[in-house]
Amino acid sequence: MAVDWMWGWQFDAACRGEDSSLFFAPNYFEKRDQKEGREAKAKALCARCPVREECLEYALQIHESHGIWGGLNEMERRQLLRERALRAG
Ligand code: SF4
């Protein structure tokens, strides 16, 4: 997500001060390998982030539809929400 505004858990975000273009798709067409490369760098930051869980739960809660949050991209978060809904019955 690349925090430039913050409250609570965001103070401890590993992406604090990082370039937000790593976390969000550009406004031009991004080829698959470019997207994968960009997301891999963002996810590497998330992997060592002390607030990864809080970040992911926040993004799931607000149905954030763009970017990498908590180590997952938008499609991965949608999948996780579907799985949770199925488990909840
Ligand atoms: S989990 Fe990733 S996107 Fe979320 S605060 Fe940490 S580094 Fe930033």
Side-chain angles (χ1 to χ4, degrees):
M1 103 184 117
V3 173
D4 52 7
W5 39 267
M6 63 191 75
W7 70 94
W9 54 267
Q10 296 187 331
F11 279 99
D12 296 320
C15 58
R16 222 174 127 179
E18 292 291 334
D19 185 354
S20 64
S21 66
L22 270 186
F23 290 82
F24 294 97
N27 56 9
Y28 55 84
F29 178 74
E30 187 178 38
K31 291 181 186 164
R32 175 185 270 244
D33 60 331
Q34 291 173 321
K35 176 179 167 69
E36 287 172 355
R38 175 180 59 74
E39 289 192 345
K41 288 180 194 162
K43 288 177 176 183
L45 270 176
C46 296
R48 63 175 178 78
C49 180
V51 292
R52 192 185 69 76
E53 212 165 295
E54 290 90 334
C55 177
L56 177 59
E57 289 306 321
Y58 173 76
L60 293 173
Q61 197 177 19
I62 65 167
H63 292 268
E64 173 59 55
S65 57
H66 299 284
I68 302 282
W69 293 71
L72 300 184
N73 67 24
E74 51 282 344
M75 288 177 293
E76 293 163 339
R77 289 196 304 277
R78 277 199 295 274
Q79 176 68 31
L80 180 56
L81 283 173
R82 277 194 297 271
E83 287 168 9
R84 284 186 179 180
L86 280 174
R87 275 201 300 273

